[in-house]
């Protein structure tokens, strides 16, 4: 029996879900499932690790603090977020799953 | 303009395609696109790095040297292949793309 990336998606309308898929020294792979959540007003992620992320289902708007406009990400879109590059999630659509695969790596 | 994981798939019937998406010390993320290829008879991958891999489109049969039967992987199926665990691709279907996301990491 293989583990499946798209299995066991949480119920819509619940909390954002973070699932660790692999953890090794300096490396963490996570599945993140959003359904309408976004970052709180004024909140910015400011991470010590790099984050390579791909949206595999759904869509999202991700904004970098050093850019004026949010980036509208759709299925397949990739970002490599440098350590300490501040960013936030402006929007994910309610009523559907947005599924992210994120690879966090020590710089 | 964002980079898209599913963009620029190669023509069907050509060679298997390997595209590096991220390279950092001890870490490499690759997209692999197969369309009918499999490992040569008697060939086994025997890698110094760990490989976490997910099939995101298509299907494949991957066999570990320490298992009798190949594993039939379908979209979303995940494997974490330990360093030095010998394995081979027994089959990918011709006439369609099988798209892998592979994360190679130093153990």
């Amino acid at each position: 029996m293989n583990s499946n990336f798209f299995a066991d998606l949480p119920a819509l309308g619940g909390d954002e879900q973070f699932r660790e898929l692999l953890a090794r020294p300096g490396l963490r792979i996570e599945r993140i499932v959003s359904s309408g959540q976004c970052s709180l007003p004024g909140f910015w992620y400011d991470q010590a690790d790099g984050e390579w992320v791909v949206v595999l289902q759904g869509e999202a708007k991700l904004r970098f603090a050093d850019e004026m406009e949010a980036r509208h990400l759709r299925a397949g879109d990739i970002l490599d977020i440098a350590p300490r590059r501040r960013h936030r999630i402006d929007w994910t659509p309610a009523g559907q799953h947005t599924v992210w695969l994120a690879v966090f790596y020590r710089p």
Side-chain angles (χ1 to χ4, degrees), chain A:
Chain A
M1 183 60 188
N2 301 308
S3 165
N4 191 283
F5 183 81
F6 296 105
D8 305 322
L9 295 181
L12 290 169
D15 289 340
E16 197 161 38
Q17 187 198 66
F18 300 81
R19 177 178 288 185
E20 189 173 273
L21 301 175
L22 186 81
R24 294 290 183 273
L27 174 68
R28 193 172 80 257
I29 303 179
E30 271 186 14
R31 182 183 81 175
I32 304 167
V33 184
S34 319
S35 53
Q37 296 88 357
C38 60
S39 303
L40 292 173
F43 174 85
W44 296 95
Y45 289 99
D46 184 2
Q47 303 170 156
D49 286 347
E51 179 182 355
W52 183 94
V53 67
V54 55
V55 173
L56 288 176
Q57 188 179 309
E59 52 183 322
K61 290 184 182 173
L62 183 149
R63 192 163 151 233
F64 288 109
D66 58 15
E67 292 184 348
M68 291 297 291
E69 299 269 334
R71 299 195 188 201
H72 193 158
L73 305 175
R74 297 171 178 87
D77 282 341
I78 292 171
L79 283 180
D80 180 35
I81 304 172
R84 298 292 173 212
R85 188 174 184 194
R86 294 194 308 145
H87 61 284
R88 51 176 280 116
I89 303 303
D90 273 357
W91 171 81
T92 61
Q96 67 174 85
H97 291 115
T98 295
V99 187
W100 314 72
L101 171 67
V103 179
F104 299 90
Y105 57 92
R106 195 176 297 157

